[in-house]
Amino acid sequence: LEELQWPDGEQEVPISVCSLPCKTGERKKKVKGMPCCWICELCDGYQYQYDETSCRLCAYNMRPNSNRTACQHIPIIKLEWHSPWAIIPVFLAMIGIIATIFVMATFVRYNDTPIVRASGRELSYVLLTGIFLCYIITFLMIAKPDVAVCAFRRIFLGLGMCISYAALLTKTNRIYRIFEQGKQTVTAPRFISPTSQIAITSSLISVQLLGVLVWFAVDPPNTIVDYDEQKTINPMLARGVLKCDITDLQIICSLGYSILLMVTCTIYAIKTRDVPEDFNEAKPIGFTMYTTCIVWLAFIPIFFGTAQSAEK
């Protein structure tokens, strides 16, 4: 026996078995024509070892454990406050909120001065309120999703911009009507008083609120865990994303009315670009609307064209 030479320089006597036992997480695959032999095949992907001869797929919200003997729940993630994706927007939002409050306080302090009165105090306060809400939505978007947070997201997602654009549209429309009618008659146009301006702005804002109420009635706010976005080839890296049940289409529909107000305001800003220098409020409004249009044109394809993620 000592003189026997085994292939490949082996020193030990070969094991005289047809197939070795399979490791944990592997199933036995029978060899055709050899009923007592098998090939060990690893349960791959999101499968786990059900018994000696079969693998089964884990449930939609689960993944196999490290040795693939059972399934475990996929970890759920959300955007965290300490993430750079949250810290930077919060920092910028705080600066914006402080600046907005400072401007509003200045307006209140000099409320009865000619400059503040000439700027249209009422619509200026409405505009500042809209800008303030635009910054506040940052905190709602980062907060942990629940039914209340999701409801407030729906309300404020487009409301801040709607209020801002409604106020600007009312301002530019008022300037346009004053100078257009001034070319024909000395009689002042209708609905240019502060009360009328607030009423027009409120009616424009009410359309957005009515749309949100219809949205609540048709599809009540709720949270979901999306496992598709972060379901990687390696199940150990898979994550579920906790988020509000709001689709990209619903987001664009919610913002669509604000976009309509913005485009209409831009048109009026173009029409009033040649007003006399003493009434040059239309010029900065026009510049604001041109830059806003460019920002929106960049935002829409970037936001809806990027890969899905918890940070989005």
Side-chain angles (χ1 to χ4, degrees):
L1 186 64
E2 287 77 8
E3 295 176 358
L4 289 173
Q5 294 182 4
W6 308 108
D8 302 323
E10 291 283 345
Q11 299 298 322
E12 299 293 331
V13 178
I15 300 173
S16 182
V17 294
C18 181
S19 300
L20 294 173
C22 292
K23 297 177 183 178
T24 304
E26 296 179 338
R27 73 181 184 94
K28 294 178 180 179
K29 185 179 181 181
K30 294 293 180 68
V31 178
K32 189 175 182 180
M34 302 176 69
C36 295
C37 299
W38 61 82
I39 297 173
C40 294
E41 189 177 70
L42 180 67
C43 297
D44 59 356
Y46 287 80
Q47 295 181 330
Y48 71 101
Q49 183 185 0
Y50 179 69
D51 54 31
E52 284 190 348
T53 60
S54 63
C55 298
R56 285 195 177 180
L57 195 65
C58 290
Y60 176 73
N61 61 339
M62 304 186 82
R63 66 183 184 185
N65 58 16
S66 57
N67 57 13
R68 294 184 176 272
T69 55
C71 291
Q72 61 185 15
H73 285 281
I74 294 176
I76 297 174
I77 61 172
K78 68 175 186 67
L79 182 59
E80 301 292 342
W81 289 98
H82 56 76
S83 166
W85 295 96
I87 294 173
I88 295 172
V90 166
F91 175 72
L92 295 174
M94 289 301 298
I95 293 175
I97 289 171
I98 293 169
T100 307
I101 292 174
F102 174 77
V103 174
M104 192 174 292
T106 304
F107 264 69
V108 172
R109 181 180 178 184
Y110 300 102
N111 192 55
D112 293 323
T113 59
I115 292 178
V116 173
R117 285 206 303 265
S119 69
R121 291 176 298 184
E122 296 76 11
L123 285 182
S124 294
Y125 288 130
V126 173
L127 176 58
L128 288 167
T129 302
I131 294 171
F132 182 80
L133 292 178
C134 286
Y135 288 119
I136 287 295
I137 187 65
T138 304
F139 300 93
L140 287 173
M141 298 303 287
I142 299 173
K144 182 179 180 180
D146 56 33
V147 174
V149 169
C150 292
F152 281 117
R153 279 189 191 181
R154 290 189 182 188
I155 295 171
F156 292 109
L157 182 62
L159 184 61
M161 284 177 286
C162 175
I163 293 173
S164 302
Y165 295 143
L168 286 174
L169 175 58
T170 306
K171 273 177 173 282
T172 50
N173 174 265
R174 176 176 177 270
I175 295 170
Y176 172 76
R177 288 189 296 112
I178 288 173
F179 282 95
E180 279 298 303
Q181 186 154 333
K183 296 176 183 178
Q184 304 169 6
T185 177
V186 294
T187 306
R190 300 171 62 188
F191 307 120
I192 62 171
S193 66
T195 304
S196 301
Q197 297 292 286
I198 292 296
I200 294 171
T201 306
S202 299
S203 63
L204 292 173
I205 297 169
S206 65
V207 175
Q208 173 77 18
L209 292 174
L210 181 62
V212 173
L213 289 176
V214 173
W215 188 6
F216 278 157
V218 174
D219 184 19
N222 196 13
T223 59
I224 59 169
V225 179
D226 195 328
Y227 293 98
D228 289 331
E229 292 182 2
Q230 301 288 310
K231 210 156 195 179
T232 57
I233 296 175
N234 182 358
M236 291 298 104
L237 301 177
R239 298 290 184 270
V241 180
L242 176 64
K243 62 182 186 179
C244 292
D245 189 13
I246 303 176
T247 64
D248 286 351
L249 179 61
Q250 289 172 333
I251 290 175
I252 200 65
C253 288
S254 178
L255 299 175
Y257 181 62
S258 296
I259 295 173
L260 177 63
L261 292 177
M262 179 193 68
V263 172
T264 309
C265 185
T266 304
I267 293 171
Y268 276 110
I270 294 171
K271 288 183 176 182
T272 56
R273 68 187 184 279
D274 295 326
V275 298
E277 288 297 323
D278 292 341
F279 300 90
N280 62 358
E281 186 182 24
K283 287 183 172 59
I285 290 177
F287 177 76
T288 301
M289 299 318 299
Y290 308 148
T291 53
T292 304
C293 287
I294 293 171
V295 170
W296 272 91
L297 287 173
F299 163 77
I300 292 174
I302 290 172
F303 181 80
F304 295 102
T306 50
Q308 300 291 321
S309 65
E311 289 81 14
K312 179 175 178 181

